[in-house]
């Protein structure tokens, strides 16, 4: 056979493959295999209880069996309550929807008394695969060229990373946030790029995902503002007045969800956050805070609480929930006090932001173990299987907040040019993309700031969860559009490519 | 051959060693008193009653073991193991019984004390007494011309004792027709308390009853103790309190927690300075154990580290605790006893907090050189008919620390000093009588005749601390590659700045060129 003959054969084979397997399908299959092995093949993996799981467990009728492990090991089985459950939700959240569904599936297919953690994983896993499909479609369609498959591989490399999928087998709220974010992002981009493909349905998916996402966790309440920005693009797609009303309704819904989530934060949570914003923020990264806080009207003795948790992990000199602490500290150091303090001590705030910048790409929860006790692994052992992206990003992403700001400006400029070109040529896709990116970049910049002011560096990596998700989405879109030549013009050079 | 001989000698030595050591171990176990309770019954504060009993028994120098009635197994109660048994009934309505216990308790020949309801016919017989049930009464407890009202009781079993009984206090129902009955009763090796509370006048009389029964009565002066001091308390108020009490000639103790971290901060210097002022005003200091957030069997090392570090930081600033204070439940926990309390020959047991977090609960109460029972001073001072208990006339049969919470305002401080002065009590003088020792890793703290010793040498306490090592505030952690990533971060930062500027410049230039292309020349 000649070289040309071989080439033709190869090309024929390639076309045959491409016809049968789109990039989106490839990404979905790969993600299904990679995450499925991690989550479902015994001894399966997950995240151990960090002490917060009870909030999601008891309310949903689950209880801990003997041998329940905290922090060190994943506990594969839980008990299902058989009688009246008198615990009420400590917090308002959309997370119970997922847990209740998992319990229901467990009861239907497995047992009425014992809960297998994998059902929790399944409840996130299936929608997650759907979101991977949509995301890859949004990033690659309508192309089926080699670069489409490269983009699919990149998406799998980033979003099938075990640091994300491990969350599925746990009672954290984060997996819900991840999946919902993927849906919202892909739905919006699909509406923009393929206006003929279920635009209304996808718009509804977008709004519902965003609302559930905001309601998923208290700390997401401020994100309502960011997602209002991302929604602006929809006004460019739908041009009729009546449609605008619907979109406006959706945006109002987002804001109302945000406000509700914010106002329904319980008093207890406020106390915890306020206390830790002080002990894990105000008192940190400064030489001796004693005099500084005394100057701002708080007894200098409270400087001794530096690095203390509201619920002491072991021993403490005083119970932070004591009346005297409330009177002497919590009643004085409200949100306004903390903001003013940082205004007066900006260098300290900047250092804290750098800490946040250093933490934001580390998505693997190092504080809890990933294995079951029966695995024979040491307590708190971490999975290294398919964590390439999170390890790389965690190690190499610059640990400077100023860099983040610069990156934001650079990305805004790039996407703004795309938007401008589209506006000039009366197209919409890149305009929508610009607002989407802008909204996600506000998450990238403001969530670290809000986290530091609201809760100091306590649980920082978890509070920043939406930051790496947002940034990863932007970067994927950047690379995908660059490869598909539609970074500057939304129609790209499709004609040129297809030739 | 040599090896074998060596082994034999080794075996003999170790056997002798064990045999030699055994008496001391056995002694402790031998003398235990078994406390058997039916239920905790929080509605009547049953846990507090149980803790109060454990606290009293410890302070009269008796080791205890606490067992729930349902957990008692047949044959457990023998004179070989136990010197006495205390039956505590918290929940008479529950009518809980354990046949094995009832049988063993009857045949047991050691000391027996029944506390609460449901005194059986057999127990009453051993007390040579006749039972009388009194319903729906408010009872007044009186002794030595003093009296205090007890809470309303639904149902109480009182005794009329026939002979050879020692009585402590009297109970007088409202309804005068019913007559009066003894409160604490001791007949030979048996005793009875129809009602028990861990505070108030009844605690003092119960202490007398229990001390008499278990044979360790000594009249003691109470120690005035200020509790609830923390590094976060108002320190000016603390120093004022110390100077005022000293000026009034009242010796006192304070029970304070401390911190093991952040000791290089100015706030800690201020705290220890206040404590030195306390020491210089005839005040002694009990180091209170920390509150427990979470603990398990492995918490021992961390507790040891925390306690040693706290003591170490205090000693460097000439703050010399003379004892350890802790909630009663700490004495029922293997880890807390070993790493917290056992380092001191002088322990003050305080009432339990609302939640008790154990590390390794074993319900085996140990004793220490001197154990003080904390008793709230306020609980003695309830006024009835315009009269209150004259604390200066009370007889305390055990080491009792009369506790006063640290005042939360200036007004309360003045009122408290005034009240304590008016009580005119002959307070315990630590400077004259107290001898204590605390060991902490390599250091020993001694206190004799009012002088503090550190590792055997006397310590002078001035207003300023001497000999504090210099601290470096910025403690940087050195992580491998950390520097690299920092440099990398900076390089990337500069790179991106330059690139962004170049990009913006090119954008403008490019746009201009682009437009030039279409401009007609």
């Amino acid at each position: 056979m000649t070289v040309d003959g071989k080439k033709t054969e190869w090309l024929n084979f390639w076309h045959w493959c491409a016809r049968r397997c789109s990039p989106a399908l490839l990404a979905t299959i790969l993600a299904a295999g990679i995450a499925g092995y991690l989550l479902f093949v015994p001894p399966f993996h997950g995240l151990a209880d960090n002490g917060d799981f009870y909030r999601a467990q008891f309310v949903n009728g689950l209880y801990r069996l003997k041998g329940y492990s905290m922090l060190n090991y994943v506990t594969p089985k839980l008990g299902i309550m058989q009688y009246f459950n008198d615990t009420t939700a400590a917090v308002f959240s959309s997370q119970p929807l997922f847990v209740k569904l998992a319990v229901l599936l467990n009861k239907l297919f497995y047992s009425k008394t014992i809960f297998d953690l994998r059902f929790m994983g399944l409840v996130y896993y299936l929608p997650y695969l759907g979101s991977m499909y949509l995301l890859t479609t949004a990033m690659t369609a309508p192309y089926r060229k080699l670069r489409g498959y490269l983009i699919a591989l990149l998406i799998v490399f980033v979003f099938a990373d075990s640091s994300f999928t491990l969350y599925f087998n746990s009672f954290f709220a984060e997996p819900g946030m991840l999946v919902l974010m993927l849906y919202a992002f892909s739905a919006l981009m699909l509406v923009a790029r393929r206006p003929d493909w279920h635009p209304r349905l996808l718009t509804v998916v977008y709004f519902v995902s965003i609302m559930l996402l905001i309601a998923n966790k208290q700390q997401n309440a401020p994100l309502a503002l960011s997602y209002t920005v991302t929604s602006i693009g929809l006004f460019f797609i739908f041009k009729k007045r009546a449609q605008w009303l619907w979109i406006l309704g959706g945006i109002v819904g987002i804001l109302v969800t945000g406000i509700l989530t914010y106002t329904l934060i319980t008093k207890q949570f406020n106390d915890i956050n306020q206390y830790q914003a002080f002990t894990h923020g105000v008192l940190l990264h400064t030489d001796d805070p004693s005099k500084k806080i005394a100057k701002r009207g708080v007894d200098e003795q409270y400087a001794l609480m530096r690095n203390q948790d509201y619920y002491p992990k072991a021993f403490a000199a005083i119970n932070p929930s004591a009346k005297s602490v409330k009177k002497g500290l919590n009643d004085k150091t409200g949100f306004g006090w903390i903001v003013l303090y940082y205004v007066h001590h900006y260098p300290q705030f900047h250092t804290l932001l750098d800490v946040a910048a250093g933490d934001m790409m580390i998505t693997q929860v190092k504080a809890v173990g990933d294995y079951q006790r029966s695995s024979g692994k040491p307590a708190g052992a971490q999975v290294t299987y398919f964590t390439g992206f999170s390890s790389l990003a965690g190690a190499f992403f610059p640990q400077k907040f100023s860099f983040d700001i610069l990156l934001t400006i650079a990305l805004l400029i790039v996407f703004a040019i795309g938007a401008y070109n589209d506006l000039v040529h009366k197209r919409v896709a890149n305009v929508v993309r610009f607002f989407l990116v802008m909204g996600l970049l506000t998450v990238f910049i403001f969530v670290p700031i809000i986290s530091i002011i609201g809760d100091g560096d306590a649980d920082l990596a978890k509070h920043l969860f939406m930051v790496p998700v947002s940034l990863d989405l932007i970067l994927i879109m950047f690379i995908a559009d660059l490869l598909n030549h539609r970074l500057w013009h939304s129609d790209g050079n499709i004609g040129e490519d297809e030739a | 051959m040599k090896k074998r001989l060596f082994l034999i000698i080794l075996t003999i030595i170790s056997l002798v060693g064990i045999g030699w050591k055994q008496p001391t171990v056995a002694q402790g176990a031998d003398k235990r008193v078994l406390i058997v309770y039916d239920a905790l019954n929080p509605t009547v504060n049953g846990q507090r009653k149980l803790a109060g009993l454990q606290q009293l028994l410890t302070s009269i120098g008796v080791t205890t073991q606490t067992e729930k009635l349902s957990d008692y197994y047949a044959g457990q109660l023998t004179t070989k193991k136990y010197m006495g048994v205390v039956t505590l009934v918290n929940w008479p309505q529950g009518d809980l019984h354990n046949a094995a216990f009832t049988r063993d308790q009857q045949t047991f020949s050691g000391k027996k004390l029944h506390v609460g309801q449901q005194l059986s016919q057999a127990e009453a017989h051993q007390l040579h007494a006749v039972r009388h049930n009194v319903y729906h009464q408010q009872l007044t407890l009186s002794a030595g011309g003093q009296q205090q009202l007890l809470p309303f009781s639904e149902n109480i079993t009182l005794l009329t004792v026939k002979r050879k009984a020692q009585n402590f206090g009297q109970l007088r129902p409202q309804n005068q027709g019913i007559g009066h009955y003894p409160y604490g009763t001791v007949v030979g090796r048996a005793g009875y308390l129809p009602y028990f509370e861990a505070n108030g006048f009844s605690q003092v009389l119960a202490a007398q009853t229990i001390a008499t029964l278990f044979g360790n009565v000594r009249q003691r002066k109470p120690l005035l103790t200020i509790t609830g001091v923390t590094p976060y308390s108002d320190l000016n108020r603390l120093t004022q309190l110390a100077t005022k009490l000293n000026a009034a000639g009242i010796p006192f103790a304070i029970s304070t927690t401390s911190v093991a971290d952040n000791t290089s901060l100015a706030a800690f210097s201020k705290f220890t300075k206040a404590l030195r002022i306390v020491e210089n005003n005839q005040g002694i200091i009990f180091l209170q154990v920390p509150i427990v957030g979470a603990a398990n069997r492995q918490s021992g090392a961390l507790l040891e580290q925390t306690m040693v570090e706290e003591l170490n930081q205090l000693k460097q600033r000439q703050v010399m605790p003379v004892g350890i204070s802790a909630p009663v439940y700490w004495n029922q926990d293997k880890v807390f006893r070993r790493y917290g309390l056992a380092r001191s020959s002088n322990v003050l047991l305080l009432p339990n907090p609302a939640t008790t977090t154990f590390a390794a609960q074993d319900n085996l109460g140990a004793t220490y050189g001197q154990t003080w029972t904390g008793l709230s001073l306020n609980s003695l001072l309830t006024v009835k008919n315009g009269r209150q208990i004259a604390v200066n006339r009370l007889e305390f049969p055990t080491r009792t620390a009369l506790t006063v919470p640290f005042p939360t305002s200036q007004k309360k401080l003045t009122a408290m000093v005034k009240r304590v002065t008016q009580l005119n009590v002959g307070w315990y003088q630590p400077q004259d009588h107290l001898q204590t020792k605390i060991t902490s890793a390599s250091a020993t703290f001694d206190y004799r005749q009012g002088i503090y010793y550190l590792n055997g040498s006397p310590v002078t306490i001035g207003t300023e601390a001497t000999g504090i090592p210099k601290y470096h505030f910025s403690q940087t952690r050195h992580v491998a590659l950390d520097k690299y990533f920092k440099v990398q971060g900076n390089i990337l930062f500069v790179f991106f700045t330059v690139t962004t500027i170049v990009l913006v410049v090119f954008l403008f230039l490019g746009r201009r060129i682009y437009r030039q292309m279409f401009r007609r020349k």
Side-chain angles (χ1 to χ4, degrees), chain B residues 469-518:
Chain B
K470 285 232 177 336
Y471 288 99
H472 301 286
F473 280 115
S474 52
Q475 300 151 323
T476 42
R477 278 179 303 138
H478 288 284
V479 184
L481 288 180
D482 199 35
K483 214 168 188 181
Y484 163 73
F485 286 122
K486 232 179 210 159
V487 172
Q488 177 235 7
N490 284 327
I491 291 173
L492 270 178
F493 178 67
V494 172
F495 175 75
F496 271 83
T497 319
V498 173
T499 321
T500 315
I501 292 169
V502 171
L503 183 83
V504 172
V505 170
F506 276 10
L507 260 170
F508 277 103
L509 287 180
R511 184 143 191 87
R512 211 195 270 162
I513 294 167
Y514 182 72
R515 294 180 81 171
Q516 293 278 333
M517 277 163 49
F518 297 96

Side-chain angles (χ1 to χ4, degrees), chain A residues 87-389:
Chain A
T87 39
T88 50
V91 291
F92 163 79
S93 162
S94 62
Q95 194 200 1
L97 295 179
F98 293 97
V99 185
K100 289 222 160 73
L101 183 61
V103 175
L104 183 75
L105 288 177
N106 186 91
K107 280 183 181 164
L108 282 179
F109 296 108
Y110 177 64
S111 158
K112 284 197 167 19
T113 52
I114 300 293
F115 179 77
D116 190 304
L117 189 61
R118 277 176 286 188
F119 281 96
M120 198 65 246
L122 194 70
V123 163
Y124 293 120
Y125 178 74
L126 294 178
Y128 159 77
L129 293 180
S131 72
M132 287 296 273
Y133 186 88
L134 280 187
L135 177 65
T136 320
T137 311
M139 292 298 102
T140 60
Y143 310 112
R144 285 197 178 200
K145 297 182 76 81
L146 181 64
R147 63 175 86 106
Y149 293 90
L150 283 180
I151 294 166
L153 289 181
L154 178 72
I155 289 174
V156 170
F157 183 57
V158 173
F159 282 110
D161 192 282
S162 298
S163 68
F164 285 132
T165 51
L166 274 174
Y167 269 114
F168 294 2
N169 274 344
S170 81
F171 288 91
F172 283 114
E174 275 77 359
M177 287 156 59
L178 172 71
V179 172
L180 290 167
M181 188 63 232
L182 292 182
Y183 271 110
F185 180 91
S186 331
L188 191 59
M189 280 320 291
L190 280 172
V191 177
R193 287 187 172 161
R194 303 176 74 180
D196 48 336
W197 198 63
H198 309 298
R200 279 182 216 150
L201 178 69
L202 285 172
T203 310
V204 171
V205 167
Y206 168 77
F207 278 118
V208 170
S209 304
I210 292 289
M211 282 184 227
L212 284 177
L213 165 62
I214 292 169
N216 209 357
K217 230 177 166 187
Q218 276 65 48
Q219 72 209 35
N220 292 349
L223 296 188
L225 295 173
S226 296
Y227 296 126
T228 306
V229 175
T230 59
S231 311
I232 294 174
L234 285 170
F235 287 112
F236 291 85
I237 302 173
F238 298 100
K239 300 260 163 67
K240 286 182 198 149
R241 280 286 156 86
Q243 288 171 324
W244 280 25
L245 265 182
W246 284 108
I247 297 168
L248 214 60
I251 292 177
V252 169
I254 290 176
L255 288 172
V256 168
T257 317
I259 292 166
L260 271 183
T261 310
Y262 182 78
T263 48
L264 290 176
I265 297 177
T266 50
K267 181 85 191 58
Q268 186 197 7
F269 270 84
N270 267 336
D271 284 350
I272 298 173
N273 292 341
Q274 211 178 314
Y275 179 82
Q276 295 188 156
F278 179 79
T279 59
H280 280 276
V282 170
L283 297 181
L284 287 186
H285 300 289
T286 166
D287 36 16
D288 190 341
S290 308
K291 293 280 174 286
K292 291 181 187 169
I293 57 169
K295 222 179 191 175
R296 308 210 66 77
V298 170
D299 187 355
E300 64 178 294
Q301 294 309 116
Y302 287 107
L304 294 174
M305 287 185 169
R306 184 157 77 181
N307 267 326
Q308 296 243 326
D309 296 335
Y310 191 80
Y311 294 112
K313 283 201 183 73
F315 304 107
I318 195 169
N319 198 338
S321 52
K323 237 189 247 159
S324 66
V325 179
K326 190 177 158 17
K327 202 175 143 204
L329 186 65
N330 266 15
D331 287 353
K332 288 182 182 167
T333 57
F335 183 77
W337 187 92
I338 290 175
V339 170
L340 267 181
Y341 177 88
Y342 285 132
V343 167
H344 283 93
H345 299 95
Y346 181 73
Q348 188 189 347
F349 187 57
H350 195 92
T351 317
L352 282 163
L353 285 177
D354 282 348
V355 172
D359 271 5
M360 65 172 71
M361 292 312 272
I362 302 170
T363 38
Q364 192 157 4
V365 189
K366 299 274 161 64
V368 296
D370 299 344
Y371 290 92
Q372 295 177 39
R373 193 184 289 277
S374 58
S375 67
K377 294 272 178 184
Q382 299 288 307
V383 161
T384 51
Y385 161 83
F386 212 76
T387 54
F389 177 72

